[in-house]
Amino acid sequence: MSHEDTRRYKWNTIPWRSVEKKVFKLQKRIYRATKNGETTKAQRLQRLLQSSKSAKLLAVRRVTQDNSGKKTAGIDGIKSLNPNERVKLVEDLNWKKAPKPVRRIYIPKAGKKEVRPLGIPVMEDRAKQALAKLALEPEWEARFEPNSFGFRIGRATHDAMKAILIAIARKKGGSFVLDADIKGCFDNIDHESLLQKVNTYPRMRRIIKGWLKAGILDKGVFQKSEAGTPQGGVISPFAGKHRFGWNGTIRQR
């Protein structure tokens, strides 16, 4: 059996249930440490998860198999990976490598003539973003308010609608609901404000800053990214909900 066949065999026989359990167990510890105000412990556990083989495997699987946009290429033209290449990506994930610029594509907005700009990272950066998200998300799930719904795990629009109906039913007197849309919201997020909001440990801060400053390749023309987060990356919705903590939140007065 060749080395390539061995790698393919390994990927196809990975005990994913065990991998998911290991990652989830570590995420629960991060969540609890954050809830208890143990910031140093939480960050130590995040660094541990960041270097975990199980977490790397899960991150690569999510961006090469589970993600519906996995067949959209970044600037390297790579749309998909075979089992051998997935294993190699897990082995080669290196946080010291600088991120590559994202590829700009445009998709139509639903029901409108306008288009939405997306920034598609290369596969390696997608995997790193998925890994960073695995480490950061449990911390912030512990911090957000119970009535926050924007980009939250296991929460959707219908959950927010239900919470609105319950809040209105409990409130005496008049009630009102505000529906607002910020034009170019993700395109104009201030990088320094976002980094201050995330307030993470130095290595993670450098990694996130690298993604924010990586630049954009639009039809072969390079553009600096001085502001905004490139929609289309795994980490983008996560960044958006941290910059605007009230995103999707219902408050009762």
Side-chain angles (χ1 to χ4, degrees):
M1 182 181 292
S2 69
H3 185 54
E4 181 175 334
D5 288 337
T6 303
R7 280 180 165 173
R8 182 178 295 109
Y9 178 77
K10 285 182 179 180
W11 181 266
N12 289 336
T13 57
I14 289 171
W16 289 110
R17 188 172 180 81
S18 175
V19 167
E20 290 169 347
K21 282 184 176 180
K22 288 178 181 178
V23 174
F24 183 63
K25 184 177 180 180
L26 198 47
Q27 287 181 311
K28 283 200 299 184
R29 293 175 65 191
I30 295 169
Y31 178 90
R32 289 170 181 165
T34 305
K35 273 289 189 182
N36 294 333
E38 301 171 305
T39 303
T40 302
K41 180 179 179 180
Q43 292 182 350
R44 177 177 58 80
L45 292 168
Q46 286 173 322
R47 288 192 290 269
L48 181 62
L49 189 148
Q50 203 176 358
S51 60
S52 161
K53 182 67 174 290
S54 292
K56 290 179 180 180
L57 284 166
L58 191 56
V60 169
R61 192 189 75 175
R62 287 186 175 177
V63 300
T64 61
Q65 289 182 266
D66 302 343
N67 183 9
S68 60
K70 60 183 179 294
K71 291 187 178 180
T72 306
I75 63 170
D76 57 0
I78 297 175
K79 294 182 178 180
S80 60
L81 301 179
N82 61 38
N84 172 56
E85 291 167 334
R86 292 171 194 154
V87 174
K88 188 175 187 306
L89 178 56
V90 171
E91 295 171 349
D92 293 346
L93 285 181
N94 183 353
W95 292 108
K96 293 182 180 180
K97 288 178 64 176
K100 294 183 178 179
V102 297
R103 174 183 165 229
R104 173 70 82 214
I105 65 170
Y106 298 88
I107 60 171
K109 291 186 178 181
K112 298 181 180 180
K113 294 182 179 180
E114 302 173 50
V115 292
R116 184 187 307 279
L118 298 184
I120 310 300
V122 297
M123 200 66 74
E124 182 177 3
D125 285 330
R126 289 184 225 183
K128 290 178 182 178
Q129 289 183 12
L131 186 54
K133 187 178 178 184
L134 287 172
L136 289 171
E137 204 147 42
E139 172 195 353
W140 286 93
E141 281 297 315
R143 295 181 185 276
F144 282 129
E145 297 178 359
N147 60 351
S148 172
F149 293 89
F151 303 108
R152 297 286 299 280
I153 298 174
R155 301 190 180 206
T157 306
H158 286 87
D159 298 307
M161 292 168 64
K162 182 179 178 180
I164 290 172
L165 292 173
I166 292 173
I168 291 174
R170 290 176 177 174
K171 188 173 181 180
K172 296 180 180 180
S175 300
F176 61 90
V177 177
L178 298 178
D179 180 15
D181 183 18
I182 302 175
K183 185 176 181 179
C185 175
F186 282 90
D187 298 332
N188 295 287
I189 290 176
D190 182 80
H191 290 171
E192 192 56 38
S193 295
L194 174 59
L195 291 169
Q196 289 177 7
K197 187 79 172 180
V198 175
N199 191 29
T200 187
Y201 50 97
R203 185 172 73 169
M204 184 67 80
R205 178 188 169 92
R206 287 195 300 270
I207 291 166
I208 295 174
K209 186 175 182 180
W211 289 326
L212 292 172
K213 301 293 187 184
I216 302 163
L217 202 63
D218 189 353
K219 297 178 181 178
V221 179
F222 177 79
Q223 302 173 3
K224 289 184 178 181
S225 46
E226 302 294 349
T229 61
Q231 296 180 69
V234 179
I235 204 76
S236 299
F238 181 79
K241 71 182 177 182
H242 290 80
R243 176 61 183 90
F244 299 98
W246 45 263
N247 193 358
T249 299
I250 302 146
R251 296 182 183 275
Q252 298 183 52
R253 298 294 183 184

